[in-house]
Structures are given as structure tokens and as C-alpha cells.
């Protein structure tokens, strides 16, 4: 077996390579996570909190409300479809979000008595007697051909997403019974 001894040139080259790779990793670790307000960077997360009126209460940056619980003009020739978007909030993410993760969740509000029963701690008699702790929510990207079409003007594109808060039985929430919700958007 032949043993190769290291030359000074090889040692210097190997040290430079290790330093450059290690130095880059160290610099990235020191920098920390990317700023959530900057859109379009892979691996980043942005978030948003929307209040019960459909207004932005807090956010990491880059979101605007395009339409909150709108009643649209009747466009049907056979009936009234003006309430087709009434239970939804349409949000402009400021970037194309079709390849991003989108998570929606109802925010806790244990000091709001939505049904005037004097109970806000989630221990009301069953079933679903305490709306402060119940409901469902869904979110999806707008403008997905053959999947999702968003109705308010200017929202049917992949910069926008729609959030649909609902009561536990699936019915549309009404003013005075709507909840705050969080959205988390991740980039690929």
C-alpha cells in the first residue's frame, strides 16, 4: 500500500476549502432567519392576524385586505347570487402564492361573549353552545383554473387568497359572531 504525504500546498488548499465552507455556514447561522417582511425568499414565513371585521390587526408585512365579507352585485340571470362572497375575506399577499404553504386558524378570544350567555371560558353546556370556542376555517389561493375562482373584482389571480371562516355547522358567519383568525404563508 502506498502512503501519500501531504504537501504544504495541499494543506493550505484543504484549509482554505474548509474555512470557506465553514465560514459560510457560520455567517448564515449568525444572520439568523430571513426577515418575514421580505417576500419571495425560499423557506420564509409571513403571518397575518385579521380581526372580526376583516381588518388587519397585526402582520409581519406585505399583506393587504382586498375585500372583507363583501356583498357583490347580482350577476345571475336566474336568481340572486349577490351573497356568494359574503362570508369570505380576500387577501392580497403581494406575490404569487400558488406554490406556497397556506395555513389558517381561528384565534382564541375568551373575553368575547358572542351569544350573550355570560360564559366565555369554553365550558358551556353542549353541543356547540359556546361559539367563542367553536367554528371552522378554510383558505386557498385564488385564480386556480378549474379549482377556485374568486369573485371580488381584481382578486381572481394567484397573488390573492380567500379565507372562509364558518360556524361549526358550516353556515356563513354573520356580523357580531365572526372571529379573529391567523394566516401563515410559507415560501417554497
Amino acid at each position: 500500500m502506498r502512503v501519500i504525504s501531504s504537501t504544504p500546498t495541499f494543506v493550505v488548499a484543504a484549509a482554505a476549502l474548509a474555512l470557506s465552507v465553514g465560514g459560510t455556514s457560520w455567517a448564515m447561522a449568525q444572520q439568523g432567519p430571513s426577515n418575514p417582511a421580505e417576500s419571495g425568499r425560499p423557506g420564509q414565513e409571513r403571518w397575518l392576524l385579521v380581526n372580526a371585521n376583516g381588518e388587519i390587526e397585526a402582520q409581519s408585512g406585505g399583506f393587504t385586505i382586498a375585500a372583507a365579507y363583501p356583498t357583490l352585485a347580482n350577476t345571475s340571470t336566474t336568481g340572486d347570487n349577490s351573497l356568494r362572497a359574503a362570508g369570505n375575506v380576500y387577501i392580497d399577499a403581494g406575490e404569487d402564492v400558488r406554490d406556497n404553504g397556506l395555513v389558517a386558524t381561528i384565534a382564541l378570544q375568551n373575553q368575547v361573549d358572542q351569544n350573550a350567555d355570560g360564559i366565555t371560558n369554553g365550558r358551556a353546556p353542549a353541543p356547540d353552545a359556546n361559539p367563542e370556542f367553536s367554528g371552522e376555517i378554510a383558505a386557498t389561493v385564488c385564480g386556480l383554473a378549474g379549482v377556485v375562482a374568486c369573485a371580488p373584482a381584481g382578486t381572481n389571480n394567484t397573488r390573492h387568497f380567500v379565507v372562509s371562516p364558518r360556524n361549526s355547522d358550516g353556515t356563513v358567519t354573520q356580523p357580531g359572531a365572526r372571529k379573529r383568525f391567523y394566516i401563515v404563508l410559507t415560501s417554497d
Side-chain angles (χ1 to χ4, degrees):
M1 176 163 78
R2 182 176 171 198
V3 178
I4 301 174
S5 63
S6 299
T7 65
T9 306
F10 175 78
V11 171
V12 170
L17 177 62
L19 184 59
S20 68
V21 172
T24 302
S25 299
W26 180 84
M28 291 300 289
Q30 298 306 308
Q31 177 183 354
S34 63
N35 181 354
E38 297 174 20
S39 62
R41 293 183 60 187
Q44 83 180 38
E45 294 179 353
R46 294 191 297 145
W47 61 270
L48 153 86
L49 173 60
V50 176
N51 69 22
N53 295 322
E55 303 160 335
I56 295 174
E57 187 171 316
Q59 67 168 310
S60 61
F63 295 102
T64 56
I65 301 294
Y69 306 110
T71 299
L72 304 175
N74 182 15
T75 59
S76 174
T77 57
T78 59
D80 185 1
N81 69 354
S82 62
L83 294 177
R84 67 191 178 280
N88 301 327
V89 177
Y90 299 85
I91 300 169
D92 184 344
E95 66 176 301
D96 187 325
V97 294
R98 76 182 113 187
D99 292 327
N100 296 15
L102 182 62
V103 178
T105 187
I106 297 171
L108 179 66
Q109 51 186 35
N110 65 358
Q111 294 186 358
V112 178
D113 189 0
Q114 289 187 329
N115 61 349
D117 65 357
I119 302 171
T120 59
N121 65 5
R123 296 189 181 114
D128 198 23
N130 204 3
E132 297 86 12
F133 284 83
S134 61
E136 43 190 71
I137 194 164
T140 191
V141 178
C142 292
L144 298 175
V147 179
V148 176
C150 292
T155 64
N156 196 33
N157 58 67
T158 56
R159 286 178 50 102
H160 291 83
F161 58 92
V162 57
V163 181
S164 300
R166 297 291 186 259
N167 296 314
S168 290
D169 62 1
T171 58
V172 173
T173 59
Q174 300 298 318
R178 293 185 172 134
K179 295 177 181 64
R180 300 159 62 235
F181 60 84
Y182 281 100
I183 296 292
V184 176
L185 180 70
T186 61
S187 295
D188 56 354

